[in-house]
Amino acid sequence: MEEVFEDGKFSHSRQVGRLEDALARYTGARHAIGVNSGTDALVLLLKACGLRPGDRVLVPAYSFVATATSVVLAGGEPVFTDIDPDTYAMDPARVPRQAAEGARFVMPVHLFSRMADMAAVTTLAGAHGLRVVEDSAEGIGMRQHGVHAGLHGRGGVLSFFPSKTLGAVGDAGAVLTDDPQTAERVAALRHHGRTGRTLAHFPGISNETRHVGHNSKMDDIQAAVLLAKLTVLDEDIRRRAALARLYDRRLRGLPGITRLPAVTGAPDEVFYVYLVETDRRDALAARLRDQGIGTETYYPRPLHLQPCFARLGHRPGDFPVAEAASARALALPLYADLTDADVERVCDAVRAFHTGRVPA
């Protein structure tokens, strides 16, 4: 951060370039392009991959709202699909044929601790001529068959929102891709559509403007923070996995908890969120809050029932698996600085709520 102030260049400069190189090495991507948020990363990636006005994009009905609003902001139309109850990700088997045949893109989302089944997604895409773009905003460190999240299709994104596994001290994001043309287009779109060298090159402000672009440059202070935290990312991931195993041991088989996440112990297991399901979700969250234990509800209203998508005409019951998750899912505290004693306290409180017994 001191280097940033010494340079006097606070946006789109040397630290951003260093972070891009580091992210490419960590993920195995040929190109990593820093932008100012995970949401902008999705918008720019969709545009760079050739999304046309009105193009239909298959997206899961259960995700953060930016998954679907990014499609609209890029000029497309979201087409909602139901999810797999185990991964919370898009379930290709539940995608109606008419929806797939009318779409041009498919955008799976990797949520919480599991990636979408990318073999099934790419099979669906191949059968219907769809372009695959991944909402891998939560996916830093996640891999499937040795390939990092975001690199199974045309490209993916990372979010560095402060709560993420690799979090900044504000908003920041990145696009990952192996395709040089996609990378070049994203790099131009993030800087008002200017082509040629712009990163760490102030004279580039006068470059030719070939596209109608955005102002989505990453701040160098965020890049500096992320560079420092990237050095301990794998350690943090291992700590999160250890905490997930402790939760699993304490909560497995507890009456009232209808689902716990799978804890496999695989070396590349990544827990961004530890999510449980319970039929008394809201009451449990209120009880934990009263005891000073923070939780997060993911997501209390599925995307197809959000007011901003009312024009699409969906009703309750259209995507039952997504709706069931929205009614029951609750995230318990999980971050690398959490202690074993903290987890024990949370588990005692959850057990007391469901059994009626006060912990000793």
Side-chain angles (χ1 to χ4, degrees), residues 173-196:
V175 171
L176 302 177
T177 184
D178 286 334
D179 179 58
Q181 291 183 329
T182 299
E184 182 180 7
R185 186 73 180 270
V186 170
L189 288 173
R190 69 174 168 179
H191 195 284
H192 301 283
R194 289 183 167 89
T195 55

Side-chain angles (χ1 to χ4, degrees), residues 195-230:
T195 55
R197 180 187 169 195
T198 58
L199 185 65
H201 183 61
F202 186 75
I205 199 74
S206 299
N207 285 6
E208 180 181 70
T209 303
R210 189 170 298 172
H211 314 287
V212 177
H214 299 246
N215 180 12
S216 186
K217 304 183 297 295
M218 181 186 284
D219 290 339
D220 274 57
I221 287 176
Q222 303 301 347
V225 169
L226 291 167
L227 279 164
K229 296 180 75 173
L230 188 58

Side-chain angles (χ1 to χ4, degrees), residues 67-84:
T67 296
T69 55
S70 65
V71 173
V72 177
L73 292 170
E77 185 83 351
V79 178
F80 296 115
T81 71
D82 216 340
I83 61 169
D84 180 282

Side-chain angles (χ1 to χ4, degrees), residues 12 22 50 52 169 178 220 231 267 276 293 333 336:
H12 202 62
R52 303 171 305 201
V169 290
D178 286 334
D220 274 57
T231 64
V276 305
I293 298 171

Side-chain angles (χ1 to χ4, degrees), residues 241-319:
L243 293 169
R245 290 193 294 272
L246 180 56
Y247 269 126
D248 189 74
R249 289 195 298 271
R250 288 297 315 277
L251 297 178
R252 181 70 56 183
L254 176 65
I257 298 294
T258 57
R259 183 186 179 279
L260 293 176
V263 180
T264 66
D268 59 353
E269 191 166 58
V270 179
F271 276 86
Y272 165 55
V273 167
Y274 187 85
L275 197 77
V276 305
E277 287 190 21
T278 172
D279 291 333
R280 301 171 63 196
R281 189 265 312 279
D282 295 340
L284 173 60
R287 177 72 63 83
L288 295 178
R289 183 177 61 248
D290 290 344
Q291 297 181 43
I293 298 171
T295 61
E296 183 68 38
T297 300
Y298 290 97
Y299 297 95
R301 181 175 294 188
L303 293 181
H304 64 289
L305 300 180
Q306 290 285 358
C308 62
F309 297 119
R311 61 184 175 79
L312 299 179
H314 289 294
R315 296 180 178 180
D318 284 354
F319 304 105

